[in-house]
Amino acid sequence: MSVQNAFFNPTNEQRHAFLKEALINAGRTEDYENIIELLGPGPDILELAPADSLKNYKIGIIGAGLAGLSAAYELRKLGASITVYDAEDKRIGGRIYTHYFNKSTEYFSELGATRIPISHETSWHYINLFNLDTNSMISPDSNNFLYTNNIRMRRSFSGKEIEEFLYPLYDLTEKERNTPWSELVSYAYNTMLNNLTPVQRSEILKILPLYSDQYAQLTKMSTNNVYESLGLSQGFVNLLCAVNPIAAVLLNLSYNETMSGIYSLDFFSIYRISEGMVKLPLAFISSLINNNPPELRNQALGKVIIKFGHAVDGIFFSSDNFINLQYTDPKGTKASESFDLVICTIPFSILREFNINPYFNDTKMQAIRELNYLDAQKTGIFFNKRFWEENEPYGNINGGISYTDLIIQSIIYPLYIRGEKPEDYSYNEPGTIIASYNIGADATRLSNQNGYRRFEKIKQDLEQVHGLPKGYLDLLTESYKTVHWNSEQWSRSAFSASYPGQKINFAYSMIQPEYNNRLYFAGEHISTKPRWIQGSLQTGKWVANQIAMNI
């Protein structure tokens, strides 16, 4: 099976074949069935309850991101009357944020969620359901830069450039210095994971009241603790963080955050929605407001109302077993509405300031106060030509990511397919890149200054990574857009990322319903796949199924 055959719209069979092949190479073929099952969408809700079983129920959903939209989509099949509240009034999609630079859908930047791994079954379930086009983000000729320690290198899969240029600069042990970079990184990332049994590894994708001692112990360790326990030197850790800014961000988080991405090969083969990730929430909304959507033809469906610009800030459980939601409408008027059932999908960073009466269980309240979230910043730039693809020392890049120890951390390039004839393709055409995608403290540091200074710094770092003269990009820049997620009013964070012990202490309690099984929770923050649309979509569908089973 060639890469080209699956470049656009991979079938389930193609995705699964790629996943199997990757697991063979990783020596973990026994994980295949667990990954497919545990990341799958589960049964259709109509297998769990009759089609009209919720026709007399009013359901309120807080948040119109993918968790809220997928929950509404499923519960509508049971005839429920659903009201979805979303505080945002300028765009849709929650942490999906597609910015189009002109009226064409050709030139855009993903300033939020971007990637769809081949293993994320629930994500592909809905993408296929709505017949959305996808294309690969993996390029066989990406030819990206690594710029660190003021040294510019071309990245390779083997890491030979790191061995040649960077090994001499770091205080590595003799054994580390004599080990190829690819083997050294594999040892750091995979040893503890591979020491678990397949059943224990599957706990990465489970939320349980009790875990095996071996897995639980690893989740209580930071990634840095794991490196120390493997006998890796501080020099290795310094080098790893210099060449991979994401590794630096994960260093003091739970090792489970690192294991999760490795276990299901989240970075092995990834796709994007061809004309923008926003096409997915748009597809949900189009279906929800349609009395007879094509993919649910001839089904008796409940009515869904989506109220944008309505900011919920209070959840109250009454003595008559109804849940009252207090909100502010777009005109600033305070109001409330009562529901039989409510689903809360908003991040805990927003829920933290809600009026809640009575309080939820003690552990969930502590999680709302303590669950760790990371900041992120993305800046997309629209250029009048794709300079990075020119046949020059600063170019010859097609797709992929350049990494740097500069504050911008990473640069993400779109993957353009060259035509069979030279005239079908030209770097003189316009294009967009994510000129800066950084996470954690660097996102905050870069963003907490005025917009002009921030953008000038991003351009300067972009020029430095590519080896361009200062100011070279000024005449090429048409426009740009920055999103700083900690400053987004209705997010106040990019995504959740657990500290050591937080999954063990909080996860099971976070997914439990409250108020006599009338208030439910969904979202990436309560999932086994935080940071991914998979986590939102899977928990949205899961919570709908839980309601169906509890009717």
Side-chain angles (χ1 to χ4, degrees):
M1 183 185 306
S2 70
V3 173
Q4 187 64 34
N5 287 341
F7 188 90
F8 295 103
N9 304 325
T11 65
N12 290 340
E13 291 76 15
Q14 287 172 322
R15 288 192 299 102
H16 294 168
F18 289 162
L19 180 60
K20 285 180 181 177
E21 182 180 356
L23 287 170
I24 289 172
N25 294 334
R28 294 191 286 112
T29 55
E30 63 273 19
D31 290 336
Y32 173 78
E33 296 293 342
N34 284 334
I35 291 171
I36 294 296
E37 178 184 356
L38 294 172
L39 292 179
D44 186 270
I45 198 169
L46 292 174
E47 298 175 21
L48 304 175
D52 62 349
S53 53
L54 286 176
K55 69 177 182 179
N56 295 319
Y57 281 73
K58 281 183 63 181
I59 299 178
I61 297 179
I62 309 172
L66 291 182
L69 293 175
S70 57
Y73 181 88
E74 300 300 331
L75 290 168
R76 188 189 186 197
K77 298 177 186 177
L78 303 186
S81 296
I82 301 168
T83 302
V84 184
Y85 297 94
D86 198 281
E88 184 62 67
D89 61 354
K90 295 180 176 62
R91 62 179 187 86
I92 66 167
R95 288 195 177 100
I96 284 180
Y97 198 136
T98 306
H99 177 74
Y100 296 99
F101 285 97
N102 53 27
K103 294 181 180 179
S104 167
T105 58
E106 183 177 1
Y107 303 116
F108 63 88
S109 286
E110 298 290 2
L111 303 175
T114 305
R115 299 169 292 189
I116 309 156
I118 56 169
S119 62
H120 287 194
E121 291 292 297
T122 306
S123 299
W124 287 100
H125 167 78
Y126 285 110
I127 287 168
N128 294 335
L129 179 72
F130 293 124
N131 295 314
L132 298 175
D133 289 328
T134 60
N135 62 273
S136 176
M137 296 181 69
I138 301 298
S139 170
D141 59 347
S142 53
N143 201 31
N144 306 129
F145 286 116
L146 170 61
Y147 183 85
T148 187
N149 288 73
N150 293 319
I151 301 171
R152 183 177 303 101
M153 299 156 274
R154 295 287 185 172
R155 289 179 60 202
S156 69
F157 290 110
S158 68
K160 287 290 186 181
E161 71 284 357
I162 296 173
E163 297 165 29
E164 179 180 356
F165 295 105
L166 298 181
Y167 271 28
L169 304 181
Y170 286 84
D171 188 19
L172 304 177
T173 65
E174 182 178 357
K175 182 177 180 180
E176 290 168 346
R177 197 175 304 280
N178 292 321
T179 303
W181 180 246
S182 58
E183 293 181 23
L184 196 54
V185 170
S186 178
Y187 174 73
Y189 285 165
N190 297 316
T191 301
M192 289 297 194
L193 175 71
N194 291 339
N195 285 344
L196 298 174
T197 68
V199 172
Q200 291 166 349
R201 288 198 293 266
S202 73
E203 293 179 330
I204 296 170
L205 299 181
K206 295 177 180 178
I207 295 178
L208 303 170
L210 189 66
Y211 295 92
S212 66
D213 289 342
Q214 295 87 341
Y215 171 69
Q217 186 60 37
L218 287 179
T219 71
K220 295 176 183 178
M221 298 173 69
S222 72
T223 299
N224 198 35
N225 293 152
V226 169
Y227 296 157
E228 290 174 353
S229 70
L230 291 171
L232 292 163
S233 69
Q234 185 61 44
F236 164 79
V237 174
N238 294 344
L239 173 56
L240 177 66
C241 294
V243 302
N244 184 348
I246 305 303
V249 173
L250 295 176
L251 201 60
N252 294 307
L253 300 178
S254 168
Y255 180 58
N256 188 67
E257 300 292 328
T258 298
M259 281 196 298
S260 178
I262 298 169
Y263 177 64
S264 53
L265 300 171
D266 292 346
F267 301 97
F268 162 69
S269 181
I270 52 178
Y271 286 76
R272 69 174 186 174
I273 295 175
S274 297
E275 294 185 346
M277 293 290 284
V278 73
K279 297 295 183 182
L280 181 54
L282 283 172
F284 271 113
I285 291 172
S286 177
S287 177
L288 290 171
I289 63 176
N290 190 336
N291 291 330
N292 196 21
E295 80 284 356
L296 296 174
R297 187 76 63 191
N298 300 321
Q299 292 190 32
L301 302 172
K303 185 178 181 181
V304 179
I305 299 172
I306 305 176
K307 295 185 175 182
F308 291 105
H310 287 66
V312 177
D313 60 12
I315 303 174
F316 306 98
F317 188 48
S318 65
S319 58
D320 54 1
N321 267 344
F322 287 97
I323 298 177
N324 297 313
L325 296 183
Q326 176 181 285
Y327 62 89
T328 303
D329 70 14
K331 297 180 179 179
T333 304
K334 286 279 189 180
S336 64
E337 189 169 0
S338 295
F339 296 93
D340 301 293
L341 301 168
V342 167
I343 303 172
C344 181
T345 74
I346 58 174
F348 283 0
S349 52
I350 300 296
L351 187 60
R352 175 69 178 96
E353 65 177 34
F354 270 39
N355 294 315
I356 299 170
N357 193 8
Y359 271 8
F360 308 145
N361 75 72
D362 290 345
T363 305
K364 186 180 276 107
M365 294 303 300
Q366 193 67 9
I368 292 169
R369 300 183 190 106
E370 287 189 13
L371 182 66
N372 184 54
Y373 281 83
L374 289 178
D375 192 8
Q377 176 275 152
K378 277 188 174 182
T379 293
I381 305 181
F382 180 35
F383 293 104
N384 55 37
K385 76 170 183 176
R386 301 197 291 267
F387 69 90
W388 59 92
E389 294 182 353
E390 290 186 72
N391 185 22
E392 298 288 348
Y394 56 76
N396 287 303
I397 290 176
N398 189 28
I401 304 176
S402 290
Y403 287 123
T404 177
D405 61 356
L406 301 176
I407 198 169
I408 61 173
Q409 289 188 358
S410 61
I411 305 161
I412 306 174
Y413 311 88
L415 177 56
Y416 291 95
I417 300 302
R418 291 168 167 82
E420 295 181 359
K421 301 176 183 179
E423 58 267 27
D424 292 337
Y425 171 83
S426 172
Y427 58 77
N428 285 314
E429 296 173 359
T432 65
I433 61 172
I434 296 295
S436 169
Y437 175 32
N438 54 16
I439 302 172
D442 277 346
T444 305
R445 293 164 183 156
L446 181 63
S447 299
N448 286 345
Q449 53 186 311
N450 71 59
Y452 174 78
R453 285 177 56 86
R454 178 181 61 230
F455 185 58
E456 287 301 304
K457 176 59 177 171
I458 290 170
K459 279 195 300 180
Q460 289 169 16
D461 282 7
L462 184 59
E463 289 167 344
Q464 196 165 344
V465 169
H466 281 262
L468 293 165
K470 186 175 181 180
Y472 181 89
L473 296 177
D474 291 346
L475 294 178
L476 303 185
T477 301
E478 294 292 320
S479 59
Y480 72 96
K481 176 69 175 179
T482 292
V483 169
H484 174 217
W485 282 96
N486 266 15
S487 299
E488 288 293 299
Q489 184 175 4
W490 306 117
S491 299
R492 292 172 218 164
S493 59
F495 39 70
S496 60
S498 295
Y499 283 133
Q502 287 194 327
K503 180 176 182 180
I504 298 296
N505 294 337
F506 294 149
Y508 187 73
S509 180
M510 284 161 57
I511 67 170
Q512 300 306 308
E514 300 283 343
Y515 300 162
N516 300 331
N517 289 341
R518 290 183 177 271
L519 174 62
Y520 293 79
F521 298 84
E524 60 90 22
H525 53 290
I526 70 159
S527 77
T528 61
K529 278 297 173 191
R531 307 190 301 279
W532 299 95
I533 66 169
Q534 166 74 22
S536 296
L537 291 166
Q538 188 173 28
T539 56
K541 193 173 189 302
W542 174 81
V543 80
N545 284 357
Q546 293 299 303
I547 289 172
M549 291 187 289
N550 287 336
I551 295 174

